Amino acid sequence: MFDIKWIRANPDLFDRSLARRGAEPLANALIALDDERKKTVQQLNEWQEQRNASSKQIGQAKAQGDEEKAQKLLAEVADLKSKVQAGEDQEREQTAELNKILAGVPNLLLDDVPDGDDEDANVERHKVGEPKRFNFEPKEHYELGEALGQMDFETASKIAGSRFVVLKNDVARLERALGQYMLDLHTREHGFTEVVAPLLVRSEALFGTGQLPKFAEDAFQTTDDRWLIPTSEVSLTNLVRESMLSKDELPLRFTSLTPCFRSEAGSAGRDTRGMLRQHQFYKVEMVAVTTPDTSLDEHERMLGCAEAVMKGLDIPYRVMRLCAGDMGATMQRTYDIEAWLPGQNTYREISSVSVAGDYQARRMQARYRDEDGKPQYVHTLNGSGVATGRALIAVMENYQQEDGLIAIPDVLQPYMGGQTVIAAG
């Protein structure tokens, strides 16, 4: 969470960042709450000093045989004890209220984040590849998958409801091949360590990465106060929670292929056909833990790692700089990679790569010792490298043939046993 001392020293900067996100200013209200808490603490200290002094005088009075004074002092100590207990309760309530508000405050934006209210204000950073021109009307992925008999939304709906899919045969193999290709690329060429981590996490883990308390409705909770991960960013970033690392250990880079689970609250009516927006989907995640002076360079590096996936698959894409109003609450800056989807005749997000600064580290108490041995908060970054379900969509739509078959990208053929095309069956 934010340090209230920093907010006191930088109230205008703090409120300006909130305003860019469309939020109301909070600095004055937070400082006023902290002032009240400080008054309570000061009063507590005075009462405790008075109680300690009176307690000493009781023994002296009894030693002098002054029972009347001793009894008066005993009553005074008892009254002060009650005041201290009430004051401690009040201070705990004030601290809890302050922390509750601080826990919901979004991250500070970097200066180069574009201003804007929504995705329409996002700025194109660069574009790679030209959309393929077909001599036929390209179909959407779900039309292709259903025609092949290997993508079944109706059966999935009978099993689990809407926003699920059953993949079969070669289409299922193709999604698995995509995940293996991405993991191999990130571990063999990009220096990431592959991790298999829990898919069920405690509330503290989601708080650490910032999904709780504000975005609880977007996740699935179990009956024993655990949560299905909405992204393996949660598990991977929390690998360093409550840690004191040495500078020599950094950067740490982790990657994982996991299912992800999201309620898609607030998405009613959006992308109801196909696999673009599902309650359950697979994703290769990248997480980096760095020192503050290297995190922005790491952000560019991580973007390059995600772009390498797209280049290897030879799918046209563009990179967008998200504006302030379209940014995730926990991030300082985000780049989105959007793949070209011929069936929709548009670009759609396939990866987000973000830097969080020390926002998550403070919530997780993840620190390292600098050259002087002084504890400092680490910086964390995360990015999709990439979402395998959306990559499957992009491959199917960009590699579709007029006869309805799907050509398999060269880099995936070794993972498909040398197979070059997906046919019905």
Side-chain angles (χ1 to χ4, degrees):
M1 296 186 297
F2 284 99
D3 185 347
I4 188 64
K5 293 180 182 177
W6 185 91
I7 295 173
R8 282 182 175 277
N10 303 274
D12 293 339
L13 176 61
F14 180 76
D15 281 344
R16 277 201 305 271
S17 184
L18 290 177
R20 293 184 67 199
R21 290 184 181 270
E24 295 295 319
L26 276 175
N28 288 341
L30 289 167
I31 292 170
L33 278 174
D34 193 47
D35 285 341
E36 290 300 314
R37 185 193 63 83
K38 285 185 170 184
K39 288 179 183 177
T40 301
V41 171
Q42 183 179 356
Q43 181 66 75
L44 269 173
N45 291 336
E46 291 175 2
W47 283 336
Q48 287 168 339
E49 289 175 3
Q50 292 173 19
R51 185 179 65 176
N52 292 339
S54 296
S55 295
K56 291 179 181 179
Q57 292 175 26
I58 291 171
Q60 295 171 356
K62 288 189 173 183
Q64 296 170 1
D66 191 342
E67 190 61 29
E68 181 180 350
K69 182 178 181 180
Q71 290 302 316
K72 183 180 179 181
L73 288 167
L74 281 168
E76 188 176 301
V77 167
D79 180 58
L80 286 168
K81 181 179 179 181
S82 297
K83 288 181 177 179
V84 167
Q85 289 175 338
E88 288 174 342
D89 291 340
Q90 183 179 7
E91 193 274 333
R92 277 192 293 269
E93 290 174 3
Q94 290 170 330
T95 299
E97 178 64 17
L98 180 63
N99 288 341
K100 180 181 178 181
I101 297 173
L102 288 171
V105 174
N107 205 342
L108 295 179
L109 298 167
L110 294 181
D111 291 340
D112 62 355
V113 172
D115 288 326
D117 297 330
D118 53 35
E119 61 184 16
D120 293 333
N122 294 341
V123 177
E124 184 178 300
R125 189 176 188 265
H126 60 267
K127 187 181 291 182
V128 176
E130 289 295 325
K132 180 181 177 181
R133 294 183 178 181
F134 293 86
N135 57 10
F136 59 92
E137 186 70 25
K139 296 179 179 179
E140 294 201 47
H141 67 283
Y142 57 85
E143 297 173 297
L144 296 163
E146 289 175 332
L148 291 168
Q150 299 179 35
M151 188 176 285
D152 189 344
F153 296 95
E154 183 178 351
T155 299
S157 180
K158 293 176 183 177
I159 297 169
S162 62
R163 297 195 186 276
F164 290 91
V165 66
V166 172
L167 301 181
K168 301 176 184 177
N169 298 333
D170 288 339
V171 171
R173 289 184 66 200
L174 183 60
E175 184 176 24
R176 176 160 52 92
L178 281 161
Q180 297 307 309
Y181 156 65
M182 295 172 198
L183 283 177
D184 286 348
L185 182 66
H186 295 321
T187 55
R188 296 174 183 176
E189 297 186 23
H190 298 156
F192 285 82
T193 298
E194 185 174 355
V195 175
V196 177
L199 304 180
L200 282 168
V201 297
R202 299 166 60 193
S203 296
E204 291 86 346
L206 280 170
F207 178 85
T209 45
Q211 284 83 4
L212 291 182
K214 195 171 183 179
F215 303 104
E217 65 176 7
D218 293 329
F220 290 106
Q221 186 176 18
T222 66
T223 56
D224 62 351
D225 197 31
R226 289 184 175 86
W227 302 76
L228 289 167
I229 58 169
T231 163
S232 57
E233 168 202 345
V234 177
S235 303
L236 296 180
T237 309
N238 274 277
L239 290 175
V240 297
R241 72 174 294 112
E242 299 169 13
S243 295
M244 181 65 74
L245 304 167
S246 68
K247 187 177 181 181
D248 293 341
E249 293 178 79
L250 302 175
L252 295 171
R253 300 183 178 114
F254 305 120
T255 187
S256 189
L257 169 60
T258 67
C260 305
F261 306 90
R262 297 183 186 176
S263 70
E264 292 296 344
S267 297
R270 297 178 60 190
D271 301 314
T272 55
R273 296 293 307 274
M275 290 179 59
L276 269 169
R277 199 174 296 275
Q278 301 246 286
H279 291 308
Q280 173 187 312
F281 59 93
Y282 282 87
K283 180 160 65 83
V284 171
E285 185 72 7
M286 303 177 292
V287 162
V289 182
T290 73
T291 56
D293 59 317
T294 60
S295 61
L296 296 185
D297 287 339
E298 188 72 19
H299 193 201
E300 301 300 322
R301 181 187 189 278
M302 186 176 283
L303 173 63
C305 294
E307 286 190 74
V309 173
M310 304 301 293
K311 291 175 181 176
L313 294 171
D314 195 21
I315 291 174
Y317 69 91
R318 66 182 184 180
V319 175
M320 305 295 290
R321 294 165 52 214
L322 295 198
C323 72
D326 199 33
M327 286 270 298
T330 60
M331 297 301 146
Q332 292 182 323
R333 182 176 68 195
T334 295
Y335 298 135
D336 269 7
I337 298 177
E338 297 180 346
W340 174 254
L341 300 185
Q344 291 193 20
N345 195 38
T346 191
Y347 289 93
R348 296 299 300 266
E349 180 208 333
I350 197 169
S351 170
S352 285
V353 181
S354 305
V355 57
D358 64 4
Y359 186 88
Q360 294 176 325
R362 288 179 177 276
R363 300 167 79 95
M364 296 187 301
Q365 287 300 298
R367 298 178 293 171
Y368 76 101
R369 292 193 183 278
D370 62 18
E371 299 92 336
D372 301 322
K374 184 179 178 181
Q376 304 283 357
Y377 287 106
V378 299
H379 278 200
T380 59
L381 306 93
N382 65 80
S384 308
V386 299
T388 57
R390 293 199 173 191
L392 176 66
I393 293 171
V395 168
M396 292 179 68
E397 293 197 12
N398 281 277
Y399 282 83
Q400 62 180 292
Q401 300 176 167
E402 189 171 7
D403 57 8
L405 305 186
I406 309 294
I408 298 172
D410 292 345
V411 293
L412 299 182
Q413 291 175 16
Y415 299 94
M416 298 284 289
Q419 189 173 335
T420 60
V421 69
I422 293 177

